[in-house]
Amino acid sequence: MYLNFYNLDKKPFQISSDPSFLWLGEKHKEALATLRYGVMDNKGFLVITGDVGTGKTTLINALVKSFAPNEMVCAIVTDPELNRLDFFNIIANAFRIPKTFHSKADFLIYFTRFLQFQAKKGRKTVLVIDESQRLSQALLEEIRLLSNIERSGQKLLNIFFLGQNEFLHLLAKTENRALKQRITLRYRLEPLTRHETNTYIRHRLRIAGADQPLFTSA
């Protein structure tokens, strides 16, 4: 009845991310350009931070869509609260590697070959760690070591940290100084302005099929 009353084709304000509703404000476009540059230039470590709901996941989805399948392979880890071996297997599964690993050595040997193969095919490889503020100290170090995989002096893996602002406090710890020095690009997503919020709401209503204004400016 809610949809029929307003002639909507779908619900315009679902919490789950729907690519058909994609809207990028100026700050998101700037962040997307930064991410694309980081991938194309093999910058290694990149950090995107922002409060809950500022669009970090939407941004990554837009990044993936901006590349053709033969240009980039991307894996997204959404739950980094894992032990080391489980983390490696989650990475393998996210990259659609059809193998279960029972030791760190087995994973590193196979994963290095995987990265080299992607590089030979001219594809960039991107690993996205979502909810990075939940990473343990041990896993942060393992991720740093993954960035050491190179071919002819070229980085084979780009690693993006997506996290709430608390992740910056984690990076600031003394034991993470080696990782912090390797981060080449950082971007902090700020909440939408009043004008951006207005445009965002109208955009979602239009995509959902609204044929009349639903809200006053107030």
Side-chain angles (χ1 to χ4, degrees):
M1 184 174 182
Y2 164 78
L3 296 179
N4 292 338
F5 184 79
Y6 292 110
N7 295 320
L8 298 178
D9 301 319
K10 58 178 89 173
K11 294 181 180 180
F13 303 113
Q14 293 284 76
I15 294 178
S16 58
S17 180
D18 184 340
S20 66
F21 284 99
L22 178 64
W23 178 86
L24 298 177
E26 290 304 314
K27 58 175 66 74
H28 294 89
K29 291 176 182 177
E30 183 180 345
L32 180 58
T34 300
L35 292 178
R36 279 189 58 85
Y37 167 69
V39 173
M40 297 301 297
D41 208 43
N42 285 323
K43 286 297 185 180
F45 284 112
L46 292 88
V47 173
I48 301 291
T49 57
D51 288 333
V52 176
T54 48
K56 298 184 293 297
T57 302
T58 298
L59 190 63
I60 288 299
N61 291 337
L63 175 70
V64 173
K65 286 186 65 176
S66 73
F67 284 92
N70 64 338
E71 292 180 314
M72 181 182 77
V73 290
C74 179
I76 302 176
V77 176
T78 57
D79 183 3
E81 273 189 309
L82 302 162
N83 64 44
R84 183 177 67 181
L85 197 54
D86 283 344
F87 183 69
F88 290 151
N89 278 297
I90 287 292
I91 290 175
N93 181 71
F95 276 119
R96 299 183 181 179
I97 296 174
K99 185 175 173 64
T100 300
F101 298 94
H102 301 285
S103 73
K104 177 180 176 178
D106 287 343
F107 169 78
L108 290 178
I109 291 170
Y110 197 101
F111 192 55
T112 298
R113 291 173 182 167
F114 170 81
L115 294 177
Q116 291 172 342
F117 174 79
Q118 300 302 332
K120 287 178 182 178
K121 292 292 184 179
R123 290 191 284 261
K124 306 292 185 181
T125 304
V126 177
L127 173 62
V128 179
I129 312 295
D130 203 356
E131 300 291 344
S132 295
Q133 73 279 356
R134 295 167 57 191
L135 282 164
S136 67
Q137 188 61 50
L139 273 191
L140 266 178
E141 181 62 14
E142 293 293 348
I143 294 168
R144 183 184 72 83
L145 294 175
L146 285 180
S147 71
N148 290 335
I149 303 175
E150 298 182 352
R151 176 171 172 261
S152 302
Q154 181 183 11
K155 294 288 184 184
L156 297 183
L157 181 64
N158 293 289
I159 302 173
F160 291 179
F161 291 113
L162 297 188
Q164 296 175 29
N165 296 323
E166 302 93 277
F167 181 63
L168 298 178
H169 300 303
L170 183 60
L171 281 180
K173 290 185 176 181
T174 303
E175 53 265 45
N176 292 323
R177 60 185 181 278
L179 173 61
K180 187 177 179 180
Q181 289 174 353
R182 294 192 184 188
I183 295 171
T184 54
L185 292 172
R186 298 186 185 195
Y187 199 96
R188 177 171 176 171
L189 283 173
E190 299 293 343
L192 299 182
T193 64
R194 181 187 294 262
H195 174 73
E196 288 172 326
T197 302
N198 186 314
T199 305
Y200 171 75
I201 290 173
R202 292 179 184 275
H203 168 81
R204 293 192 73 96
L205 289 172
R206 184 174 65 253
I207 297 301
D211 59 0
Q212 59 179 305
L214 269 65
F215 305 110
T216 65
S217 295

